[in-house]
Amino acid sequence: MLTPLGPGCKFGQRLASQYGIDAIQSLVSRSHRGAELGVARMRYELPHLFVLAPLPTEDAFLLSVEINSGGSRRIVRHDGKSRQLGLQQEGAFHIADLSQRSSAYVSSPFHSMFFHLPRATIDAFTEEMEMPRVDRLRCAAGTLDPVVANLGRAMLPVLMHPEDASRLFIDHLTMALKAHVVHAYGGVPGPAPVRARGLAPWQERRAKEFLMQHLAHDVSLADAARECALSRSHFSKAFKQTTGQTPHAWLVAQRIEAARSLLAHPDVPIAEIASSCGFSDQSHLTRVFTAHMGTSPARWRRLNVG
């Protein structure tokens, strides 16, 4: 379940309070097991020095990655030792253990993505993936990590337009983030390479039927995987191996095709088409349709319907 929570999100509220600003774009993603992962974006353009008091102590990690170069920071650990990091490069990655009370001095301008990762979420993920338990996350502050930076960039549209967010899309991104972090910084070895296996014919048929039944509604990766008696990770990989697309990309393509069919009827309002095909509103349909077809629904209708 995806919960877009602007100023009311506790994670977003804590970060905004720590930086002394009104609010930041944030959301919380919840898995089918109830595990949470918070995502937030902060962009500050004016020169300023932020003196950051420690966040409340909890058994969780705060991950941050720089989307653009700029700014500097000095981290002061709970034992009084400090580290000056200087100007931050694009992709600079940090992990703060919130069970330890560390403070920091951060200068702007900066553009950063933050991920709130409770230990319970890590434990639920490693259990689901049948991986060893992660004792701690280790990362040299300022490590360049283009993987996390790219995942952060991919989440920007979701934070900017949470009403359009797809649970399938968020599930893919958050699973990729957790897998990368536990492998790269939790000491969990990656799985041995195996030959990718696709869905069985009945699984492919059932998966597509299920996704089409939910064409007009949001659906999670866990829901679709459950229909095929697979874990989320196995289902996602097998679906792509079979169809050449992720479940989210395949579903978006079906929604676009359904919209094209309805656009052929000039008496059907575009806003009604958007609702029928699983888009939050007409502007959401227009953005996605234009990205896929190279033109807006209204113009496509004018060019293709006599």
Side-chain angles (χ1 to χ4, degrees), residues 86-283:
L87 294 176
Q88 297 296 282
Q89 299 182 54
E90 179 181 339
F93 182 57
H94 309 263
I95 298 178
D97 186 341
L98 295 181
S99 67
Q100 303 175 358
R101 294 181 59 80
S102 298
S103 57
Y105 299 84
V106 178
S107 69
S108 58
F110 58 79
H111 186 190
S112 309
M113 290 288 292
F114 296 87
F115 306 96
H116 180 253
L117 189 58
R119 178 170 293 281
T121 299
I122 298 175
D123 290 344
F125 178 75
T126 53
E127 180 182 350
E128 179 183 0
M129 297 295 107
E130 299 181 350
M131 297 175 176
R133 187 177 187 273
V134 172
D135 292 325
R136 57 177 296 189
L137 299 178
R138 299 175 178 86
C139 173
T143 296
L144 295 183
D145 193 323
V147 174
V148 178
N150 286 330
L151 288 171
R153 290 189 193 94
M155 291 186 183
L156 286 175
V158 175
L159 290 170
M160 296 170 68
H161 302 284
E163 69 281 0
D164 299 342
S166 161
R167 292 170 65 190
L168 276 175
F169 183 64
I170 292 296
D171 283 348
H172 280 296
L173 292 181
T174 55
M175 284 185 64
L177 176 71
K178 287 180 281 190
H180 175 70
V181 168
V182 299
H183 288 318
Y185 306 107
V188 175
V194 296
R195 182 178 180 274
R197 298 178 60 183
L199 298 172
W202 75 267
Q203 291 172 319
E204 179 183 5
R205 182 172 60 255
R206 181 59 193 138
K208 290 180 176 179
E209 288 174 351
F210 179 78
L211 292 173
M212 290 301 293
Q213 288 167 3
H214 292 81
L215 189 73
H217 308 285
D218 204 5
V219 60
S220 73
L221 192 60
D223 292 335
R226 193 177 300 114
E227 295 294 316
C228 298
L230 296 172
S231 71
R232 293 183 301 164
S233 177
H234 291 167
F235 171 73
S236 180
K237 293 175 183 177
F239 190 96
K240 186 171 183 179
Q241 174 69 15
T242 300
T243 68
Q245 295 177 294
T246 65
H248 173 256
W250 187 88
L251 183 58
V252 169
Q254 306 313 306
R255 286 172 170 165
I256 294 294
E257 186 59 34
R260 288 177 59 188
S261 297
L262 290 173
L263 286 167
H265 302 280
D267 56 324
V268 181
I270 293 179
E272 183 179 322
I273 293 174
S275 177
S276 299
C277 296
F279 299 96
S280 59
D281 53 29
Q282 184 171 335
S283 63

Side-chain angles (χ1 to χ4, degrees), residues 4-55:
L5 293 171
C9 171
K10 290 182 180 179
F11 168 51
Q13 278 186 324
R14 289 199 300 267
L15 277 181
S17 176
Q18 189 190 36
Y19 277 79
I21 60 179
D22 292 336
I24 62 175
Q25 295 170 322
S26 61
L27 59 84
V28 173
S29 173
R30 292 185 176 88
S31 74
H32 67 294
R33 298 188 179 195
E36 295 185 357
L37 188 149
V39 184
R41 173 206 188 200
M42 188 179 299
R43 188 169 191 168
Y44 202 90
E45 301 288 356
L46 300 176
H48 186 74
L49 176 64
F50 295 89
V51 181
L52 307 182
L55 286 166

